Amino acid sequence: MKIISKEALTVGGLYGVTSLSLGLFSEFLASLSFYLFFFALIMLCFNRVPKFIEALQNNYPKITIYLQYFGIPTYLVIFLTLGLLLFVLLFPRWVEVNLNLEETKFVAIGIVFNFVIYGSALGMATYKAFFAKENKQP
């Protein structure tokens, strides 16, 4: 089994960008991007790289770098959500939902977390795409 981490990160970044941008306009398009994401992950599990990912990586290498770095927070959010859901399903009595004003702090912390994680991904991708020595032409 070959390692396909770059392709998986590209698929995750493509899903993250398309679901956020298309989700503003149409729920159908956001759902379509999820189904495309899920289908591409199934293909990657069987060592088949989708043609649109190969074409994207070959024709647009710098955009691919950005998509790979935006794939990291996308998978992080997916795994954290699934982990919290599993925790709630396993231990339902430990989780109580009370609407307090103190709990609104968690919303602010989540927004700051998103800004930090996506901002750092953007910064690392910009560094790798434009300033890293391995990408510079001699």
Side-chain angles (χ1 to χ4, degrees):
M1 183 174 183
K2 67 179 183 175
I3 298 175
I4 49 173
S5 61
K6 288 185 178 181
E7 288 83 3
L9 287 175
T10 304
V11 168
L14 191 63
Y15 166 67
V17 170
T18 57
S19 69
L20 287 176
S21 60
L22 295 177
L24 296 173
F25 301 110
S26 170
E27 187 176 331
F28 171 75
L29 293 175
S31 299
L32 186 66
S33 71
F34 174 74
Y35 294 134
L36 185 65
F37 166 71
F38 189 71
F39 179 70
L41 279 183
I42 296 290
M43 285 184 69
L44 288 174
C45 286
F46 292 107
N47 289 330
R48 306 251 187 229
V49 179
K51 296 289 183 193
F52 69 95
I53 296 296
E54 283 182 0
L56 187 68
Q57 287 179 336
N58 293 336
N59 296 332
Y60 305 104
K62 291 195 183 207
I63 291 175
T64 304
I65 291 172
Y66 280 96
L67 288 176
Q68 288 171 358
Y69 277 97
F70 280 136
I72 295 170
T74 302
Y75 284 118
L76 184 66
V77 167
I78 289 171
F79 290 137
L80 282 176
T81 304
L82 290 176
L84 288 173
L85 181 66
L86 181 67
F87 180 77
V88 168
L89 290 176
L90 289 177
F91 306 106
R93 292 184 182 222
W94 290 7
V95 180
E96 290 184 17
V97 177
N98 296 325
L99 293 176
N100 295 334
L101 292 176
E102 296 175 3
E103 290 181 3
T104 58
K105 293 178 187 176
F106 291 119
V107 174
I109 290 171
I111 291 170
V112 170
F113 174 75
N114 281 335
F115 277 126
V116 168
I117 199 79
Y118 281 103
S120 61
L122 180 65
M124 290 186 308
T126 302
Y127 174 75
K128 185 169 182 179
F130 294 106
F131 302 112
K133 291 182 182 181
E134 63 189 32
N135 292 330
K136 290 196 175 189
Q137 301 287 333

